[in-house]
Amino acid sequence: MGNENFEPATTAITAGRDDSGSLAPSLTPATTWSSSGLEESHRQATAIHETKFYSRYANPTVEAFEHAIAELENTQAALAFASGMGAVSSVVLALCATGDHIVAQRNCYAGTLAFLNGPCARLGIEVTFVDGRNASEFAAAVRPGKTMLVMAESPSNPHIDLVDLAALGAIKGPITVVDSTLATPLGQRPHDHGVSIVLHSATKGIAGHNDATIGVIAGDAELIGEIWGYSILHGATASPFDAMNALRGVRTLDARLTRQCESAQTLAEWLSEQKNVTAVHYPGLKSHPQHALAKKQMNYFGSVLSFEIAGGKPAATKLLSALRLIRPAVTLGGTETLISHSASSTHNSVDADTKAKTGLTDSLLRLSVGLEACVDIQRDLATALAQSN
Ligand SMILES: *Cc1c(COP(=O)(O)O)cnc(C)c1O
């Protein structure tokens, strides 16, 4: 959509502007716009994504955010939702019916997993789960004519596994979806690898300040238009206020990511050397089993890492209580460094078998690296690690 050939960091500054000259996103809380009469009303009611009709159909503030994401993801269109889960559920229900089949990654966000295992199963939409780390498993599980969607997440939350985006994008037949939340639009561009739909919980790194709950998808205009047609009935509509904050977040995304990734790399390397840390998962580490793939498909390795602590849950419990700067909390990608014990919090609902298959052990801690001085984060971890055993 961009008419200039800028670097993505620059596009993050230029994208999603209106022609008012305002240097901040304009907040338009209006639910409804008046029309000139019957014919204009009819046109508005039947147009796709008409911004001056009724806000559930489209809203100018939300549209500015959508334009920015489409430009950053190098897609024709984008569509925002009330949350990341609003995006996940709307995509699935827009594209699948009873009797259809989905191939999905087992090692993914627990909300997505719960949606596929719960409402989808209840509606008779069958799901085959695969290990996203093995590129061939997605394609092998596709049933021609029956599989509507192939759903992946890269990097995965919380084990930081990667999916080979080019292999996923090469799958023909079903629509492919990548939840790219942990990468953000500046970290990787799945659509460039042939993936049909890029999905984000923009609540995380995109908005980046823990003040907006919002989701977004990006892809070809025709497909996004089809999902829009369902979305106005589903009603998981993005709030203009959240879209304003998310677009504000886009402006500083590159600066935040640069700093966060630098700190995450330093911390990942340092954690790898600590005696009561048994494993560290971060794609920027040479020891990450998919480091070569990460270098190939990612521009930034991300602000999130996870590590395993010796001594399991009792040690993790002690560590969380001993921290003074890093806060125990469940979101990621924001300005504060946060830590979470995935198995008992975000991923508490995951069944034991899936937890075992995806490395969701009681020792696993997810660290979302914020913007504090790295040395302070490291000192806080060092003190708490010393007290955890
Ligand atoms: C948080 C998250 C979601 C869900 O997003 P919400 O905005 O909380 O609904 C989906 N996928 C991933 C990878 C996430 O981290």
Side-chain angles (χ1 to χ4, degrees), residues 83-86 88 109 112 153 157 179 181-182 199 201-204 213-214 332:
S83 64
M85 282 312 299
V88 169
Y109 181 67
T112 305
E153 180 176 306
N157 180 359
D179 183 332
T181 299
L182 267 65
L199 184 150
S201 166
T203 311
K204 312 292 169 56
T213 301
I214 185 165
L332 58 89

Side-chain angles (χ1 to χ4, degrees), residues 124-291:
I125 300 168
E126 200 191 336
V127 184
T128 301
F129 291 101
V130 299
D131 185 336
R133 288 167 291 195
N134 304 333
S136 58
E137 286 198 23
F138 289 106
V142 168
R143 300 180 198 157
K146 224 154 158 53
T147 306
M148 297 305 294
L149 274 180
V150 177
M151 297 176 66
E153 180 176 306
S154 187
S156 71
N157 180 359
H159 201 264
I160 325 292
D161 301 321
L162 306 188
V163 172
D164 186 326
L165 298 175
L168 190 79
I171 295 174
K172 296 287 170 259
I175 288 160
T176 50
V177 185
V178 168
D179 183 332
S180 195
T181 299
L182 267 65
T184 83
L186 292 177
Q188 65 190 14
R189 289 215 300 220
H191 191 73
D192 287 353
H193 299 274
V195 172
S196 329
I197 297 173
V198 187
L199 184 150
H200 292 279
S201 166
T203 311
K204 312 292 169 56
I206 293 177
H209 294 69
N210 301 321
D211 57 6
T213 301
I214 185 165
V216 67
I217 59 171
D220 289 348
E222 193 181 339
L223 180 57
I224 299 299
E226 186 184 338
I227 297 167
W228 172 84
Y230 171 77
S231 78
I232 60 170
L233 307 176
H234 190 98
T237 312
S239 131
F241 184 73
D242 288 336
M244 176 184 73
N245 280 340
L247 183 50
R248 184 276 321 267
V250 167
R251 302 288 179 240
T252 57
L253 182 53
D254 188 70
R256 286 185 286 113
L257 260 185
T258 302
R259 167 68 164 264
Q260 287 168 308
C261 295
E262 205 176 286
S263 297
Q265 183 75 33
T266 302
L267 293 167
E269 286 169 12
W270 175 79
L271 280 165
S272 306
E273 289 161 8
Q274 305 310 301
K275 66 173 178 354
N276 44 350
V277 171
T278 56
V280 181
H281 310 288
Y282 186 66
L285 287 179
K286 288 195 180 70
S287 60
H288 190 282
Q290 295 171 296
H291 180 61

